[in-house]
Amino acid sequence: MNAEAPGVPTEAPTCYRHPGRETYVRCTRCDRYICPDCMRDAAVGHQCVECVREGHRDVRQPRTIFGGQVSATPVVTYTLIALNVLAYVAEVTSSRIVNEYAMLGVATDPFGIVHPGGVADGEWYRLITSAFLHSPPEASFGLAHIVFNMWALWAIGPQLEQVLGRWRFTSLYLLSALGGSVLLYLVDPAGAAVGASGAIFGLFGAFFVVAKRLRAPAGGIVFLLALNLVITFTVDGISWEGHVGGLIVGAALATGYAFLPPGRGDERRRTLLHAGATAGMLVLLAALVAIKTSQLAGITVI
């Protein structure tokens, strides 16, 4: 057994992160010496920065009923609004933006003759870029087009983003927009369209599904949806395909998010099921576009 020699001073302990600093305070979790710069207040005593960091990893992050992380700021909603506004400024500045990025299945002239261009000619990006463009000020709907869509996104987007979580909400929005473009491509490939309406109708459908899942009042969204459907089918110049396509995709995807798994499952299983539903919808829409493109491949192009 070792013993300290009488009269020899004992070396003072130092901080494990700062060896040159003397201290007599220990971390209550790992028992290592820590200096004032490394101390973090704990329920009892102090802990070192590493133990505090490790403790935070063990704390389970709060989740919504659909598996999304709880967030007070609707970052995705605000980002989407900003992107739509920036795209509108760009198209007002240059008329080429609409011509090059609007939804167009096949390009035709006034005589119905098909020309190179459109989704069928490999411009697949039009399926999604068109959802960030709107009618220019001189068009029939003018500013009302983007104003209504952005108002709707601002009104119901934050609520959906809060309950679904960011990645589910982003997927829902983009796939609803894609669904509207795909239905237009299937039904009227020569038709042209712009607008976030397909995505907005997808949010309408998702809001209804989420409300039913949470047993919350859904009368308001039903009235808003019915009113917009009446306008869709009675006002000339509106692409009903874009609206209906977005509505179908949004409602279907939200059903997957809201009811999968059917019972209380672990977080990993739920995330995998929701990711699978998202990927499945994307694959389905891509397959429909590929099939339609193959059907249009026989059209003579001059």
Side-chain angles (χ1 to χ4, degrees):
M1 179 177 180
N2 297 327
E4 297 178 354
V8 178
T10 304
E11 184 179 354
T14 59
C15 175
Y16 83 97
R17 297 179 75 237
H18 304 96
R21 300 181 184 180
E22 296 183 1
T23 181
Y24 291 90
V25 179
R26 295 176 185 241
C27 172
T28 57
R29 185 169 181 175
C30 67
D31 203 38
R32 291 179 291 187
Y33 286 102
I34 50 178
C35 68
D37 289 342
C38 299
M39 295 178 190
R40 300 293 183 269
D41 291 333
V44 178
H46 301 84
Q47 291 185 6
C48 65
V49 291
E50 291 183 6
C51 287
V52 171
R53 189 182 304 116
E54 188 64 29
H56 287 166
R57 292 176 182 174
D58 297 336
V59 176
R60 184 177 180 182
Q61 296 297 321
R63 298 275 179 174
T64 69
I65 188 173
F66 303 117
Q69 290 188 0
V70 176
S71 176
T73 305
V75 176
V76 176
T77 299
Y78 294 157
T79 301
L80 290 171
I81 292 175
L83 290 174
N84 277 274
V85 172
L86 288 174
Y88 193 73
V89 172
E91 70 178 79
V92 170
T93 304
S94 174
S95 59
R96 293 178 53 191
I97 298 296
V98 174
N99 293 331
E100 295 179 3
Y101 296 100
M103 175 54 203
L104 183 67
V106 292
T108 58
D109 60 21
F111 301 99
I113 300 176
V114 178
H115 295 263
V119 176
D121 195 42
E123 298 175 351
W124 290 33
Y125 55 85
R126 290 178 178 271
L127 293 163
I128 194 66
T129 56
S130 59
F132 290 90
L133 303 176
H134 289 82
S135 300
E138 66 274 11
S140 56
F141 296 104
L143 285 173
H145 193 199
I146 187 172
V147 169
F148 172 78
N149 281 340
M150 293 305 99
W151 170 82
L153 178 55
W154 175 81
I156 67 175
Q159 300 176 64
L160 280 175
E161 183 178 348
Q162 186 177 46
V163 297
L164 294 177
R166 290 175 180 171
W167 78 261
R168 292 174 178 82
F169 177 74
T170 303
S171 300
L172 177 73
Y173 184 92
L174 294 178
L175 287 177
S176 296
L178 182 60
S181 296
V182 170
L183 186 58
L184 177 61
Y185 185 49
L186 296 177
V187 176
D188 184 16
V194 292
S197 301
I200 299 302
F201 268 76
L203 297 187
F204 287 163
F207 198 97
F208 174 78
V209 171
V210 168
K212 300 302 290 185
R213 174 66 175 82
L214 298 178
R215 298 180 180 179
I221 195 64
V222 170
F223 172 79
L224 185 61
L225 181 57
L227 176 62
N228 279 276
L229 285 174
V230 170
I231 295 174
T232 297
F233 288 101
T234 57
V235 177
D236 292 334
I238 295 180
S239 171
W240 68 264
E241 299 92 343
H243 293 185
V244 174
L247 175 63
I248 293 173
V249 171
L253 195 56
T255 299
Y257 293 157
F259 295 97
L260 291 177
R264 295 180 62 87
D266 61 86
E267 192 59 43
R268 177 180 174 82
R269 177 168 175 260
R270 176 166 55 182
T271 300
L272 289 175
L273 287 173
H274 290 183
T278 304
M281 180 62 71
L282 178 60
V283 170
L284 174 61
L285 294 175
L288 292 175
V289 171
I291 292 173
K292 185 64 177 181
T293 301
S294 66
Q295 293 174 351
L296 295 173
I299 297 179
T300 302
V301 178
I302 66 172

